Amino acid sequence: MIARPGVGSIFRLRRRNWRGAGPLGPLLGSPAAFILLVVALAAGTANYLAGEADRAATARTNAVIAEVERLISEVKDLETSERGFVLVGSEDYLAPYTAALPRIEAELASLGSAAQEPVRAGGASLGGLIAQKRDFATRVIAARRAQGFDAATDLVRSGEGKRLMDAIRMEAAARQEVAAANLAALQVRAHRRGLILFLLSGASALGAILFLARLALVRRQESLRMSRLLDGVLANAPVGLGFLDRDLQIRHMNRALATMSERGFGADLGAPIWAMLPTLRAELAPKLDAALKEGLVSPDVPVAVPTPSAPGGLRQFSMSFYPLRGADPATGTVGQAVEGVGLVVVDETIRHLAEARLRRSEERFRSLIEASAAIVWTANPEGSLQRRQIAWSRFTGQDEAAYAGLGFLDAIHPEDRDHTRTAWATAVASRRPYVTEHRIRIASGGYRHMSVRAVPILDSDGSLREWVGTHTDITERKEAEAAIEAARAAAEAANTAKSQFLANMSHELRTPLSAVIGYSEMVQEELEDLGEAALIADMKKIESNARHLLGLINDVLDISKIEADRVEIFAEDFDVAAVVRDVATTVEGLIAKKGNTLALDLADDLGIAHTDVTKLRQCLINLLSNAAKFTEDGRITLAVARTGDALRFDVTDTGIGMTAAQVAKLFERFAQADASTTRRFGGTGLGLAITRAFAEMLGGAITVASREGQGTTFTLTLPLHVPGAEASAPGEAGTVGADRNTILVIDDDAATRDLLARFLEREGFSVTVAEDGRRGLDLARTLRPRAVLLDVTMPQMDGWDVLRALRADPEIGATPIVMVTILDEQNFAFSLGATDYLQKPIDWGNLRQVVDRFRPAGGEGPILVVEDEADVRAHICAYLRREGFPVREAENGVRALDRIAEEQPGLILLDLMMPEMDGFTFLRVLRERPDRRDVPVVVLTAKDITAEDRRRLAGQADRVLAKGKTGLGELVRELRALMPSQADAA
């Protein structure tokens, strides 16, 4: 491991600001001196360059002054030549004029911008004035030549020449004054800058010299300090440090070495190390000679010194010897000559004692392993078993060569070998505990089940040292588990047989009773038509007793399902007050039978609940029936109130009441208050037991308060929202999930959902709504609706994603989907597979035209009755014919498909449990044909409908009715609702 600079070394003792005190100490050393030298050099260079620039500027300014003087002189020559020519008229006088002209041009060009820019704002420039002067001189000369002396003198007398010359002199003087002022200012600036740069350069150089001198002094002081610290470290080091001279005399010992000398070998300064123990000489002299004469290092030389005070009477030392070389005077570096021997001594007595204890502990551990019933083994970091695995060899019969590497896998059962190899490789790679089970071949040849556990052993630095594991024999446990599994399988088989028996019993008992009830209803109608009123009462008794027997059978089957834990909860939203009134209507005749009256006390805030409404109905009917049974000419009250998140139903009667002993066993199965009660009032004693079981399944409870002779009050308490229930449609009778006339509305706006639902219900459709896309997709897969009205902009999952998901689902991908949205994205919607597109605000006429396409097309053909029981089939067919329906019949699914091939029915009345082809298979085959998908199907069965049955029937059947619970009149009403043409004909 590489240490970081300064970590664990003496250099950590260096002061943070060792170059000087204070926070600026680090800056007051060589970096500052270097910076000052650079500043001094930069100042001198800048002074030189600035001086050169000032001299060049001075020369340019002086040149401007001189050139202006020369320019004035040339203009004067031009004017003098012009005047001489005017006076004399001789061309000889024009020679200076002619020579002055090019020189003036040259001087003006040399002056450059100084001649072209005026000194005074708004005035004429020197070059412009001179040009005017030249022009005036040219005109004067031309007049003298052409018109004579008088004309030329007239121009001269005009004063224009004099004005121009005066202006030229003034502009020239001003230009010279400006140049002189600039020159003076330049000289002042040059003097100041030169002084400042000179002082800066000198101060910087002086500061650099002072800093370098201070740095040398500080470094010297720090070196002395570090030497003292190093001396302190050597003196207080936990190991013994000493120096021997060339005569092998001890010249220096730190505190630790002096302590070791006192405890062990007893040497002192000025004496050889073996002075007190001559026996050490033979052992140490060769090592010391090698260091002194040959410059060799002898590390970790073990030395044992007898010491009475030491543990065990022997003190163990580790000594290291190394040559000490002197410095070369010429170079100041370490030379080759050996001047002495360095000595490092470590007292390892404690370590030797610890190692001895560790060896003894390992021996005890090995003995424990060998004596243990489990196989204890070790493996190297690579996963191979280490040598000398005695327990493994004794158990498996493998020798060291056989289990070397991964050879131990050969002892594992072939069926367990692959998963063992994978689990072991994974554990070795991840350094995680290894846990598995497998079978191992024992030395005698058989196999034993073993539980295997191994853990990685890590060193202090985190590296893997080895694996330690155990194999524990669990054969007896495995055999016990196998026996338990066999018993569980047998119990499950028995439970399955019991469930099948109950299903068959349900069908076999309810089917003939349904026939009895159906025939009694038919006979009553025929007797009524014949005017045999006296016989109708007898037939009503037959019907009543058959229904009573069916109720008893249903109670027995319900209690059997409860015991088998096969009762399922199907929660839905419903109006509490409406359900209670419906229950009251159902039991109205039963209550009035003994002269009782029923009073409803409904609170105003009952609202909506979410629970299994079918089981709630059954609970309330059981309680009201029980009250009616034990009350005569009395009053029965059903009070419903909302308390927090729960509903409270109180059924109070003024009947015979009960004693405390009777209340104690009231909810026991097959038990009533006492034997006399059973003889007097009849019954199986299952109604209240079923009611309590249903109440607890719905997350509620039922209690009773009664006084003998005064009446009884049953209190049923249920949560508003049943916990953990599957959201589904209710009941054994009625629709399952959603009927095939259901339209699913998916929209996040509550007002839009309500408007669409009310419109569709007025149009004769069943409606289910969803407030977001994800909920809508779940409902579509569960209910399989006839069509979907879908919004686009919704939380969690928008309409486009729902549309894609619906079209990708093979089971519901063909469902018509109408987009109803405020967006104008028709083309995109149709590209994703939308059936139609309506834009908000909704045109209700257009919506009516769209949904009319989704109405079932059935109703024109006959009713096909598919029922395997001949009696049931006969009485249903006879009743339907009496009601004016054309009827065809079939005894099973196969025969029904043949009849459909011959004639397309307008509706199918289907049983589920039939030989050859049951109702589920028949429905699947029927719906595979596009021309048969819209044929209405009403399931009439004695089978208990489970959650799986509901899933299979969703989207396939329009109604599911229970035999025995559905009268023939109710059946006809359901059929007429699905066959409008037949209803109109009737």
Side-chain angles (χ1 to χ4, degrees):
M1 183 173 63
I2 300 175
R4 292 175 294 169
V7 177
S9 69
I10 194 172
F11 295 102
R12 294 187 64 185
L13 300 176
R14 186 183 297 274
R15 291 176 297 184
R16 290 181 60 191
N17 297 328
W18 63 274
R19 292 185 176 90
L24 299 179
L27 300 178
L28 303 181
S30 56
F34 175 76
I35 292 172
L36 289 175
L37 288 175
V38 171
V39 170
L41 180 61
T45 302
N47 194 16
Y48 171 76
L49 294 176
E52 290 297 318
D54 291 343
R55 284 191 288 274
T58 300
R60 287 195 299 273
T61 304
N62 289 331
V64 169
I65 294 173
E67 287 171 356
V68 170
E69 288 292 341
R70 288 194 296 272
L71 182 61
I72 294 300
S73 175
E74 296 297 337
V75 172
K76 289 179 179 179
D77 290 346
L78 181 145
E79 184 181 36
T80 300
S81 176
E82 169 216 329
R83 290 177 179 177
F85 177 75
V86 170
L87 292 176
V88 178
S90 174
E91 294 290 333
D92 295 337
Y93 282 91
L94 290 178
Y97 172 83
T98 304
L101 287 176
R103 288 196 296 272
I104 290 173
E105 289 296 331
E107 294 296 338
L108 288 174
S110 177
L111 285 173
S113 61
Q116 303 303 324
E117 297 176 357
V119 176
R120 295 180 300 276
S125 65
L126 183 61
L129 293 173
I130 292 175
Q132 294 178 30
K133 180 63 179 176
R134 285 183 301 178
D135 180 67
F136 177 77
T138 300
R139 285 190 283 118
V140 170
I141 292 173
R144 180 69 176 86
R145 286 174 176 168
Q147 300 176 12
F149 176 79
D150 293 334
T153 55
D154 289 341
L155 286 175
V156 172
R157 288 191 190 98
S158 66
E160 181 180 354
K162 182 177 183 306
R163 288 197 305 275
L164 289 173
M165 192 64 193
D166 290 341
I168 289 171
R169 286 192 182 94
M170 291 177 62
E171 183 66 20
R175 174 60 62 186
Q176 287 178 331
E177 289 176 0
V178 169
N182 290 341
L183 183 61
L186 179 64
Q187 290 175 348
V188 172
R189 288 198 303 273
H191 177 72
R192 292 176 180 174
R193 182 174 58 249
L195 179 61
I196 291 172
L197 291 177
F198 172 75
L199 292 176
L200 177 62
S201 177
S204 299
L206 180 61
I209 293 171
L210 292 175
F211 282 150
L212 291 175
R214 182 181 181 281
L215 178 62
L217 177 62
V218 170
R219 284 183 173 174
R220 174 60 179 169
Q221 292 174 345
E222 186 65 20
S223 177
L224 293 175
R225 177 176 171 274
M226 294 301 294
S227 296
R228 289 193 299 271
L229 291 175
L230 182 59
D231 289 341
V233 169
L234 295 178
N236 295 283
V239 298
L241 301 175
F243 306 141
L244 309 180
D245 59 16
R246 292 188 58 84
D247 296 328
L248 301 180
Q249 307 293 320
I250 300 176
R251 294 303 177 188
H252 176 77
M253 289 192 300
N254 68 349
R255 186 177 293 109
L257 184 58
T259 301
M260 295 178 192
S261 178
E262 293 176 359
R263 294 178 178 178
F265 43 84
D268 201 355
L269 291 176
I273 195 170
W274 50 76
M276 298 299 294
L277 293 171
T279 55
L280 294 178
R281 181 164 190 166
E283 186 176 355
L284 302 181
K287 308 294 183 182
L288 294 170
D289 289 341
L292 190 61
K293 298 177 180 178
E294 302 176 23
L296 300 178
V297 177
S298 299
D300 303 325
V301 178
V303 177
V305 179
T307 307
S309 61
L314 194 66
R315 191 168 292 279
Q316 303 285 344
F317 295 100
S318 175
M319 295 186 178
S320 299
F321 306 99
Y322 55 91
L324 297 176
R325 305 182 186 277
D328 189 343
T331 62
T333 59
V334 177
Q336 296 298 320
V338 178
E339 296 184 355
V341 177
L343 175 63
V344 178
V345 182
V346 179
D347 190 342
E348 295 187 334
T349 304
I350 302 301
R351 184 177 68 82
H352 279 270
L353 291 174
E355 290 176 351
R357 284 194 295 269
L358 179 60
R359 284 193 298 271
R360 290 193 296 271
S361 176
E362 289 176 349
E363 291 173 358
R364 286 195 299 270
F365 177 67
R366 189 173 295 107
S367 300
L368 178 62
I369 290 175
E370 294 176 357
S372 173
I375 305 173
V376 183
W377 48 269
T378 58
N380 60 26
E382 291 75 28
S384 300
L385 289 186
Q386 295 176 343
R387 303 177 61 184
R388 297 187 70 247
Q389 302 295 328
I390 299 173
W392 179 271
S393 296
R394 184 172 59 246
F395 191 87
T396 64
Q398 284 188 317
D399 57 18
E400 188 172 319
Y403 64 68
L406 296 178
F408 68 89
L409 293 171
D410 295 337
I412 296 172
H413 195 284
E415 295 178 359
D416 302 336
R417 197 169 294 159
D418 289 340
H419 86 77
T420 299
R421 179 185 289 107
T422 302
W424 179 235
T426 302
V428 170
S430 62
R431 296 187 181 183
R432 293 180 179 175
Y434 169 56
V435 180
T436 189
E437 291 182 359
H438 54 224
R439 289 163 287 177
I440 285 185
R441 184 183 63 247
I442 61 177
S444 61
Y447 283 93
R448 304 288 291 179
H449 287 275
M450 308 297 288
S451 174
V452 189
R453 295 186 63 87
V455 293
I457 306 301
L458 305 180
D459 283 329
S460 58
D461 59 356
S463 61
L464 179 60
R465 187 173 71 211
E466 64 178 349
W467 289 84
V468 175
T470 62
H471 273 64
T472 304
D473 193 335
I474 58 170
T475 305
E476 288 76 10
R477 192 192 78 188
K478 285 291 185 180
E479 291 173 350
E481 290 176 354
I484 293 172
E485 178 63 22
R488 186 188 65 81
E492 289 182 352
N495 190 47
T496 302
K498 176 183 177 182
S499 299
Q500 186 61 40
F501 170 77
L502 290 175
N504 294 335
M505 181 64 68
S506 171
H507 181 267
E508 296 301 327
L509 291 176
R510 288 171 178 168
T511 297
L513 283 174
S514 298
V516 172
I517 295 171
Y519 275 121
S520 64
E521 290 177 338
M522 290 176 56
V523 171
Q524 289 176 51
E525 292 185 3
E526 292 176 356
L527 290 174
E528 187 175 357
D529 293 340
L530 295 174
E532 298 289 343
L535 296 177
I536 293 177
D538 294 332
M539 293 307 303
K540 285 186 176 292
K541 292 177 182 179
I542 294 174
E543 179 188 356
S544 174
N545 281 281
R547 291 190 182 278
H548 177 66
L549 180 58
L550 182 61
L552 296 179
I553 293 172
N554 288 337
D555 285 346
V556 172
L557 293 176
D558 283 343
I559 205 68
S560 299
K561 287 193 293 183
I562 291 171
E563 289 179 346
D565 196 21
R566 292 178 53 245
V567 179
E568 297 168 299
I569 303 298
F570 302 98
E572 62 178 311
D573 292 332
F574 62 91
D575 186 299
V576 177
V579 169
V580 172
R581 291 189 182 97
D582 183 56
V583 169
T585 302
T586 302
V587 300
E588 190 174 44
L590 179 64
I591 290 177
K593 187 176 180 181
K594 290 189 176 183
N596 298 312
T597 59
L598 175 63
L600 295 181
D601 182 9
L602 306 182
D604 296 332
D605 60 343
L606 296 180
I608 304 298
H610 182 80
T611 188
D612 191 323
V613 67
T614 301
K615 290 181 175 55
L616 174 60
R617 288 176 189 270
Q618 188 168 348
C619 290
L620 294 178
I621 290 173
N622 285 349
L623 293 176
L624 291 170
S625 299
N626 185 77
K629 181 188 299 185
F630 298 104
T631 305
E632 294 182 6
D633 299 324
R635 178 183 178 86
I636 300 172
T637 303
L638 173 57
V640 186
R642 182 169 180 165
T643 56
D645 293 332
L647 290 172
R648 177 188 174 100
F649 302 86
D650 291 311
V651 177
T652 304
D653 63 61
T654 58
I656 62 175
M658 292 178 287
T659 64
Q662 291 172 331
V663 170
K665 59 179 183 178
L666 183 63
F667 294 103
E668 294 181 5
R669 296 168 185 174
F670 302 103
Q672 289 189 339
D674 54 34
S676 62
T677 304
T678 304
R679 289 191 299 271
R680 179 180 175 189
F681 296 98
T684 61
L686 291 176
L688 293 178
I690 293 172
T691 300
R692 183 174 67 173
F694 284 172
E696 292 173 351
M697 289 178 186
L698 298 178
I702 185 170
T703 59
V704 60
S706 181
R707 296 185 64 181
E708 188 175 9
Q710 298 185 17
T712 303
T713 298
F714 287 90
T715 301
L716 173 65
T717 304
L718 297 178
L720 281 169
H721 297 271
V722 61
E726 178 184 348
S728 180
E732 299 171 327
T735 60
V736 172
D739 62 35
R740 298 181 63 254
N741 203 34
T742 294
I743 292 182
L744 174 61
V745 177
I746 307 175
D747 198 305
D748 63 327
D749 182 66
T752 302
R753 289 198 306 271
D754 181 61
L755 287 173
L756 287 172
R758 292 165 63 183
F759 173 82
L760 293 172
E761 287 170 351
R762 286 198 304 270
E763 293 297 315
F765 292 96
S766 299
V767 182
T768 300
V769 298
E771 66 278 3
D772 60 68
R774 191 171 301 282
R775 172 65 175 162
L777 184 59
D778 293 340
L779 285 175
R781 289 169 174 163
T782 302
L783 305 178
R784 301 184 185 182
R786 192 165 196 87
V788 177
L789 301 187
L790 178 62
D791 188 19
V792 172
T793 55
M794 295 182 293
Q796 298 190 32
M797 189 177 190
D798 65 19
W800 304 129
D801 291 337
V802 175
L803 179 57
R804 292 188 187 96
L806 289 173
R807 289 299 182 229
D809 193 312
E811 294 188 358
I812 58 175
T815 303
I817 302 173
V818 180
M819 306 303 296
V820 183
T821 178
I822 198 170
L823 302 179
D824 186 11
E825 297 285 351
Q826 291 96 329
N827 293 334
F828 183 61
F830 290 135
S831 69
L832 294 180
T835 306
D836 213 324
Y837 195 98
L838 296 176
Q839 195 165 358
K840 296 178 181 178
I842 301 170
D843 185 320
W844 301 106
N846 290 342
L847 179 59
R848 181 177 291 105
Q849 294 177 4
V850 170
V851 299
D852 280 344
R853 304 202 306 266
F854 307 141
R855 298 185 186 276
E860 297 300 329
I863 296 177
L864 176 61
V865 178
V866 186
E867 168 66 59
D868 62 323
E869 291 288 340
D871 291 342
V872 176
R873 188 170 68 248
H875 89 261
I876 291 177
C877 291
Y879 191 87
L880 293 179
R881 289 189 181 100
R882 286 189 57 194
E883 293 294 325
F885 292 100
V887 179
R888 306 291 184 269
E889 56 184 281
E891 61 272 19
N892 56 55
V894 175
R895 182 61 183 147
L897 292 175
D898 295 338
R899 297 302 298 269
I900 294 172
E902 297 169 1
E903 182 181 12
Q904 180 87 349
L907 182 143
I908 300 173
L909 188 60
L910 178 68
D911 189 18
L912 291 179
M913 300 182 68
M914 299 180 295
E916 297 192 39
M917 178 185 286
D918 64 14
F920 296 108
T921 306
F922 170 79
L923 273 174
R924 180 176 55 79
V925 175
L926 177 72
R927 299 307 186 193
E928 287 176 353
R929 287 276 299 270
D931 57 333
R932 300 173 182 173
R933 288 176 182 167
D934 288 334
V935 177
V937 176
V938 175
V939 172
L940 181 63
T941 182
K943 184 181 188 300
D944 287 328
I945 301 299
T946 65
E948 177 61 19
D949 295 337
R950 286 178 168 82
R951 189 193 66 78
R952 296 172 66 184
L953 292 174
Q956 306 287 341
D958 294 82
R959 299 286 190 276
V960 178
L961 305 176
K963 288 181 180 178
K965 293 185 178 180
T966 305
L968 292 175
E970 182 182 352
L971 174 62
V972 169
R973 287 193 296 273
E974 293 288 348
L975 298 183
R976 292 195 191 284
L978 294 172
M979 302 179 70
S981 60
Q982 298 287 348
D984 295 339

